[in-house]
Amino acid sequence: MHINPVLVESAVVLAVVLCVHMVVWNQHSWCSIALIIQAFYVQHKWDRLLRSGGAVFQFRPAANSGIVPASMVMPLLGLALREKCSASGNVYFERFSMVVTITGMMLALFLSLIALGITRPVPTNTCVIAGMAGSAILYTTKQTLTVSEVIEVLEVLLIFVYLSLIVLYLLPRCFTPGEALLIVGGISFIVNQLIKRSLNLAEVKGDPVNYFLPVVVVGSLLLGVFFALLFCFMESETWVSSLFFHMMTAVLALGILMPWLSLFIGRHPLMWLLDFVTLSDTRLCLLAYWVLLAVVATCVVLHQNYQRQAGSKKHQASTVVRKYFHLIVVATYVPGLIYDKQLLHVASVGCLAVFLFLEYVRYFRIRPLGQLLRQLLTLFLDERDSGPLILTHVYLLLGMSLPIWLFPGPCAPRGVLSGAGGLVPYAGVLAVGVGDTVASVFGSTMGEIRWPGTKKTMEGTATSVFAQIIAVAVFLIFDGSINLNSTYSWIVGSITLVALLEAYTSQIDNLLLPLYLFILLLL
């Protein structure tokens, strides 16, 4: 029996939306149901465009458009955050969560309008459904947001429009439409928030740790866009160009980003970072442990490349070899989550900055490391790295770190949430580090019964769920701050839903799965 994987993927996302709707019963949750209905119709049209080659930009091949799962992430995230902040009485972040919800819906509607605008012939029924959903969302926006909040949503939408044109033009075949919505939409929101806070420094407050991520994201974006445009007109592989690249990177980091960050944290970032790292012996021990794991990961890369050069017939690393890095990342994140979440937050942001810088060096062939990085990393390419960028390792880092970065600290006065929310920081470890790893390894080695319409196996999915349940039990033993309060059925159901989504989605699972598990556990 042939089953369309897109239908099952959409059904799983609908199940998540209904779960959120059962917990959060308001007009925004009704709008999310209208949004997923119109996204389903639009995805059907866009998939047809991708198959026929009628899309305007070159998207990642061998994958569907991913409109349904991507469109629902930001609205559901805002709804879950609002419910948690409302329960804690934090009015400011409750309003902020409403802005997140509406912004996500507006970005999804804009992407749907693009798809409908380039479809020939114009799909009348789909346009009517999208129009009805859009009218409901616009009416809800008018009723719930203030004028300043509406302007903030429009600012994010404007940044998203221009950033999408730049990214999709400069980086063809790197993203599906849904992945572009997630990544570019998230960057647009961060850019807008950083600009807003920079213009209102008198109102800046909160933990200095939270300002590292937006500054790193904006700095990396500026660096990438500037050199991508510059190297369209000049050769990037010469020593002169490489020297200019390193000089401009230093100027951006030391002359712009450091002073910018110091405005938020009130002192020089390097001095603050030195005091932060040396605050306790535990932090120094964690750093030494992480350096050791980084050396181990580097040795794995060098060993695999040595085997290839020594005449091995395998030209690409196997699934099992690639999952070594998942295990190393789990060994990195779990101690940090148990002993010092703040240090893990800062370290993961620093690691993101290093990964993006090294990817720029590889992509532009910057001397002396550009060509070497190309040779080392091509062994670990898979079908998702079909564009000019190699983003698999960046997606792995994002999947593990997003639940930590998005953790609603102001809505958890004691630093931890009750019930299933206690597992929220572990969402990336569970979904990617444990679930995806076990599903891939067991499915590729011992799986025989395949899910209809996919290459994934039922054995892989079952062992994935079982392994995540065992991981939750281990976290309960070693992390005394977690108190599940008899929410075991919700946790098992959430893990199962996300495992089914992993079996049927063709999007970047390292990015998508942690976000959906984060949303469900937050409820």
Side-chain angles (χ1 to χ4, degrees):
M1 181 177 63
H2 177 72
I3 296 179
N4 188 351
V6 176
L7 295 178
V8 182
E9 178 189 51
S10 302
V12 174
V13 176
L14 178 60
V16 175
V17 172
L18 293 177
C19 289
V20 175
H21 185 63
M22 286 190 299
V23 178
V24 185
W25 192 282
N26 59 30
Q27 51 195 344
H28 289 124
S29 57
W30 285 107
C31 285
S32 67
I33 294 178
L35 182 66
I36 190 175
I37 294 173
Q38 73 89 31
F40 175 77
Y41 278 88
V42 170
Q43 174 161 333
H44 172 70
K45 301 299 179 183
W46 206 325
D47 286 347
R48 190 177 66 185
L49 280 175
L50 293 177
R51 288 192 298 268
S52 64
V56 176
F57 293 100
Q58 297 182 57
F59 293 104
R60 183 164 65 86
N64 60 57
S65 60
I67 298 297
V68 171
S71 295
M72 303 312 301
V73 168
M74 193 177 291
L76 295 181
L77 179 62
L79 287 171
L81 289 173
R82 183 189 178 189
E83 180 68 15
K84 195 59 63 177
C85 293
S86 176
S88 66
N90 193 318
V91 178
Y92 174 81
F93 276 91
E94 184 180 353
R95 300 297 304 181
F96 176 78
S97 301
M98 291 173 59
V99 173
V100 173
T101 301
I102 296 298
T103 300
M105 291 182 178
M106 289 299 183
L107 294 179
L109 283 176
F110 174 77
L111 198 67
S112 299
L113 289 177
I114 292 178
L116 296 176
I118 62 178
T119 303
R120 294 293 182 271
V122 177
T124 305
N125 295 336
T126 309
C127 289
V128 171
I129 294 173
M132 293 173 62
S135 299
I137 293 170
L138 290 174
Y139 177 78
T140 304
T141 302
K142 177 180 177 296
Q143 295 296 316
T144 57
L145 296 188
T146 63
V147 174
S148 61
E149 291 169 342
V150 172
I151 293 175
E152 187 173 349
V153 172
L154 295 177
E155 289 170 349
V156 176
L157 184 59
L158 184 63
I159 296 172
F160 176 80
V161 171
Y162 286 105
L163 203 56
S164 297
L165 295 176
I166 295 173
V167 169
L168 295 178
Y169 173 75
L170 294 177
L171 303 173
R173 303 181 307 281
C174 284
F175 312 103
T176 65
E179 292 162 3
L181 172 63
L182 271 180
I183 296 169
V184 181
I187 293 175
S188 301
F189 194 86
I190 290 175
V191 170
N192 184 68
Q193 288 298 312
L194 188 62
I195 294 174
K196 176 184 174 183
R197 281 163 172 72
S198 300
L199 296 176
N200 297 278
L201 288 174
E203 300 179 6
V204 170
K205 55 183 179 179
D207 195 337
V209 169
N210 297 327
Y211 293 105
F212 277 81
L213 178 62
V215 171
V216 165
V217 169
V218 172
S220 302
L221 177 67
L222 292 175
L223 185 68
V225 171
F226 174 76
F227 279 105
L229 296 175
L230 178 65
F231 288 142
C232 288
F233 305 99
M234 61 182 293
E235 182 62 43
S236 64
E237 299 182 45
T238 64
W239 278 107
V240 174
S241 297
S242 300
L243 180 62
F244 181 67
F245 174 86
H246 291 299
M247 288 179 58
M248 288 302 299
T249 302
V251 169
L252 177 66
L254 301 177
I256 298 178
L257 299 185
M258 287 291 185
W260 199 356
L261 188 55
S262 66
L263 293 176
F264 294 115
I265 64 178
R267 56 181 301 195
H268 195 281
L270 294 180
M271 295 297 101
W272 179 91
L273 187 61
L274 181 62
D275 293 339
F276 177 80
V277 169
T278 58
L279 185 63
S280 66
D281 292 337
T282 302
R283 291 186 172 177
L284 294 175
C285 292
L286 278 174
L287 286 174
Y289 171 67
W290 290 340
V291 170
L292 176 62
L293 290 178
V295 172
V296 171
T298 304
C299 291
V300 172
V301 174
L302 295 176
H303 176 68
Q304 292 297 320
N305 277 272
Y306 174 78
Q307 283 190 330
R308 179 174 63 174
Q309 293 173 1
S312 174
K313 293 182 180 180
K314 290 198 312 180
H315 297 287
Q316 292 298 124
S318 65
T319 299
V320 176
V321 171
R322 283 199 293 267
K323 297 308 175 184
Y324 285 161
F325 296 100
H326 286 234
L327 296 178
I328 292 174
V329 171
V330 170
T332 301
Y333 274 72
V334 171
L337 288 168
I338 293 175
Y339 294 109
D340 200 325
K341 294 183 178 67
Q342 278 199 322
L343 179 64
L344 182 61
H345 184 124
V346 174
S348 58
V349 172
C351 193
L352 176 65
V354 172
F355 276 13
L356 293 177
F357 174 75
L358 291 179
E359 180 57 24
Y360 288 149
V361 170
R362 187 206 64 83
Y363 174 67
F364 294 124
R365 295 184 176 91
I366 301 299
R367 296 190 177 189
L369 296 177
Q371 192 59 39
L372 177 63
L373 288 173
R374 280 179 173 264
Q375 295 173 359
L376 292 177
L377 295 180
T378 50
L379 177 66
F380 301 93
L381 294 177
D382 60 15
E383 67 277 1
R384 295 174 296 183
D385 293 310
S386 54
L389 293 183
I390 299 178
L391 297 173
T392 304
H393 58 299
V394 179
Y395 287 138
L396 177 59
L397 175 66
L398 289 176
M400 301 291 285
S401 303
L402 281 172
I404 302 167
W405 298 341
L406 296 173
F407 182 79
C411 302
R414 297 181 180 178
V416 65
L417 299 172
S418 60
L423 292 172
V424 159
Y426 293 89
V429 174
L430 288 171
V432 175
V434 177
D436 184 45
T437 302
V438 171
S440 297
V441 173
F442 278 82
S444 61
T445 56
M446 293 184 291
E448 295 182 359
I449 306 174
R450 300 191 182 278
W451 288 104
T454 75
K455 297 180 181 179
K456 306 292 180 66
T457 64
M458 295 184 182
E459 292 90 343
T461 302
T463 52
S464 168
V465 173
F466 185 62
Q468 290 180 73
I469 294 173
I470 293 177
V472 170
V474 173
F475 299 152
L476 282 173
I477 294 173
F478 290 98
D479 193 342
S481 63
I482 301 176
N483 182 13
L484 298 184
N485 295 333
S486 302
T487 54
Y488 304 107
S489 59
W490 182 270
I491 294 171
V492 173
S494 301
I495 289 173
T496 304
L497 274 178
V498 174
L500 287 173
L501 184 60
E502 187 274 336
Y504 274 95
T505 187
S506 62
Q507 306 303 297
I508 299 295
D509 48 8
N510 287 351
L511 185 65
L512 199 64
L513 303 184
L515 290 171
Y516 272 99
L517 188 57
F518 177 92
I519 292 166
L520 290 169
L521 293 179
L522 197 59
L523 296 172

